[in-house]
C-alpha cells in the first residue's frame, strides 16, 4: 500500500470535494465551495497518493465547542485500503476536543456509532417540481436588509454554534436569494434558495410556525421561479414534513444526524429546511 499524504486543502481546492460530492449524487450548490471555506479554511483535508487526490474530508470548527464533519469521500477505485480511516483520524484530530456533528448516509450509521457518534434524528431530503406561486402580500423583506445580528441570534436557536462568517457568505453569495418574515417588528423566520447541480435547494428555512415557513417559501419560489426544488427536513418536525408533502415533494434521500456529545438545546421545531448536509 502506498502511503497516503494528508494536508489541508487550499481554498481553491475545496471545489474538488464539491465535485466528488456531486459524483456521489449529493447535488451540491453551484457556489457552495467559497461559502464553505469562509468559516474554517483549515477544516478541509485532502489525502494524496503520488500527488494525486485519493480522499477528501472536512471538519469545520465553529468556535471552541462545536465542529461539523462532511465530505467524507474516498475515490471509488481506492476504497477498502485504509485511506478513509487515515483521513478520518486527521479530521477528528482537527476538531478535538469539540463536540462533532455530521449528517451520515444511513448505511454508515453503525460505523459512525463505533466512532462515538450517537443518533439524534433523521433528516429527509424531499424533492420534486413546483410552480412559482404568487408573491406574498406582506411581511416579507429581503434577507440582506435584516441586521446580521438578528439573523445570527435567530440561527443560534437552531444550530449548535455561532457561525457569522458562514452566514454572511451564504446570504451574500451571487445567485443565492434570501428573504425574511417580519411580524410586529420582530424576525419570525427566514430562508435562502440557491441553484444546485440539479434544480434548487431551500436551506436554511427557519420559522416560528408552519404558516410562517409557507410564507417564506412562497416568497423564495416567487423570486426564483418554479422548477425542481429540494428541501432537507428534520423528520422529527412533523410540520416541516407536512409542508414538504403539501408541496407534492417526495422523499429522495435520508441522512442520520449524529453527534459525539451533548449540544445546546435547539428549536428543531423551527427548522423547516436544513442549511446543508455538508456543514450543518
Amino acid at each position: 500500500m502506498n502511503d497516503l499524504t494528508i494536508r489541508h486543502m487550499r481554498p481553491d481546492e475545496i471545489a474538488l470535494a464539491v465535485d466528488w460530492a456531486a459524483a456521489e449524487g449529493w447535488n451540491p450548490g453551484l457556489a457552495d465551495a467559497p461559502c464553505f471555506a469562509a468559516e474554517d479554511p483549515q477544516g478541509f483535508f485532502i489525502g494524496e497518493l503520488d500527488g494525486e487526490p485519493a480522499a477528501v474530508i472536512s471538519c469545520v470548527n465553529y468556535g471552541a465547542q462545536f465542529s461539523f464533519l462532511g465530505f467524507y469521500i474516498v475515490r471509488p477505485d481506492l476504497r477498502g485500503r485504509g485511506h478513509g480511516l487515515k483521513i478520518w483520524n486527521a479530521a477528528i484530530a482537527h476538531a478535538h476536543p469539540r463536540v462533532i456533528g455530521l449528517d451520515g448516509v444511513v448505511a454508515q450509521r453503525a460505523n459512525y456509532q463505533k466512532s462515538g457518534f450517537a443518533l439524534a434524528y433523521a433528516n429527509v431530503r424531499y424533492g420534486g417540481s413546483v410552480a412559482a406561486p404568487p408573491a406574498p402580500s406582506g411581511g416579507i423583506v429581503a434577507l440582506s436588509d435584516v441586521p446580521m445580528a438578528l439573523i445570527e441570534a435567530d440561527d443560534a436557536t437552531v444550530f449548535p454554534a455561532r457561525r457569522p462568517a458562514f452566514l454572511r457568505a451564504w446570504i451574500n453569495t451571487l445567485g443565492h436569494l434570501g428573504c425574511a418574515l417580519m411580524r410586529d417588528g420582530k424576525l419570525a423566520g427566514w430562508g435562502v434558495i440557491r441553484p444546485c447541480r440539479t434544480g434548487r435547494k431551500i436551506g436554511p428555512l427557519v420559522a416560528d410556525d408552519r404558516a410562517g415557513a409557507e410564507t417564506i417559501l412562497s416568497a423564495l419560489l416567487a423570486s426564483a421561479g418554479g422548477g425542481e426544488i429540494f428541501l432537507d427536513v428534520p423528520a422529527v418536525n412533523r410540520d416541516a414534513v407536512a409542508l414538504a408533502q403539501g408541496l407534492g415533494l417526495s422523499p429522495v434521500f435520508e441522512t442520520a444526524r449524529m453527534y459525539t456529545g451533548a449540544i445546546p438545546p435547539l428549536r428543531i421545531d423551527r427548522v423547516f429546511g436544513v442549511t446543508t448536509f455538508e456543514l450543518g
Side-chain angles (χ1 to χ4, degrees):
M1 182 190 305
N2 294 328
D3 288 336
L4 187 74
T5 301
I6 300 172
R7 61 176 176 81
H8 295 287
M9 288 185 182
R10 300 185 303 270
D12 62 292
E13 290 178 315
I14 296 175
L16 173 68
V18 176
D19 286 343
W20 282 17
E24 294 292 323
W26 299 349
N27 193 27
L30 299 183
D32 281 1
C35 296
F36 289 169
E39 191 71 37
D40 179 14
Q42 297 298 303
F44 294 80
F45 299 84
I46 185 169
E48 297 176 318
L49 292 173
D50 298 324
E52 295 295 324
V56 295
I57 197 170
S58 65
C59 208
V60 171
N61 291 340
Y62 294 104
Q65 304 298 323
F66 184 69
S67 186
F68 201 88
L69 188 145
F71 289 116
Y72 182 35
I73 308 171
V74 177
R75 211 172 74 197
D77 60 307
L78 297 173
R79 292 173 183 173
R81 305 183 187 183
H83 303 316
L85 179 59
K86 188 170 183 180
I87 200 168
W88 168 275
N89 288 338
I92 297 297
H94 175 73
H96 185 77
R98 298 167 179 83
V99 172
I100 305 172
L102 59 77
D103 272 308
V105 295
V106 175
Q108 293 297 321
R109 176 177 160 183
N111 287 332
Y112 294 135
Q113 288 175 323
K114 292 176 183 177
S115 296
F117 287 82
L119 177 68
Y121 51 85
N123 283 319
V124 180
R125 174 164 296 165
Y126 284 83
S129 293
V130 299
S137 58
I140 291 292
V141 300
L143 191 56
S144 57
D145 291 340
V146 179
M148 278 303 303
L150 289 182
I151 298 171
E152 290 174 20
D154 196 77
D155 186 64
T157 70
V158 298
F159 190 75
R162 297 275 180 160
R163 47 179 179 174
F166 170 76
L167 288 175
R168 287 186 175 89
W170 198 250
I171 292 168
N172 296 315
T173 289
L174 185 65
H176 290 205
L177 298 175
C179 67
L181 175 64
M182 306 299 295
R183 288 175 176 163
D184 300 323
K186 297 181 180 179
L187 181 62
W190 54 287
V192 175
I193 188 170
R194 75 193 197 279
C196 295
R197 302 294 177 96
T198 300
R200 295 182 176 92
K201 285 183 185 175
I202 295 104
L205 179 58
V206 179
D208 291 343
D209 48 48
R210 178 179 172 180
E214 288 177 336
T215 299
I216 297 163
L217 185 55
S218 292
L220 292 172
L221 292 174
S223 297
E228 190 172 19
I229 64 166
F230 299 93
L231 187 64
D232 299 334
V233 172
V236 292
N237 185 344
R238 293 184 179 181
D239 283 341
V241 172
L243 173 61
Q245 293 174 340
L247 286 170
L249 306 181
S250 301
V252 296
F253 185 66
E254 181 177 329
T255 70
R257 173 60 64 92
M258 309 180 79
Y259 297 103
T260 58
I263 59 170
L266 300 178
R267 291 286 307 279
I268 303 301
D269 62 297
R270 299 186 69 241
V271 180
F272 289 80
V274 178
T275 305
T276 161
F277 286 159
E278 291 78 25
L279 264 72

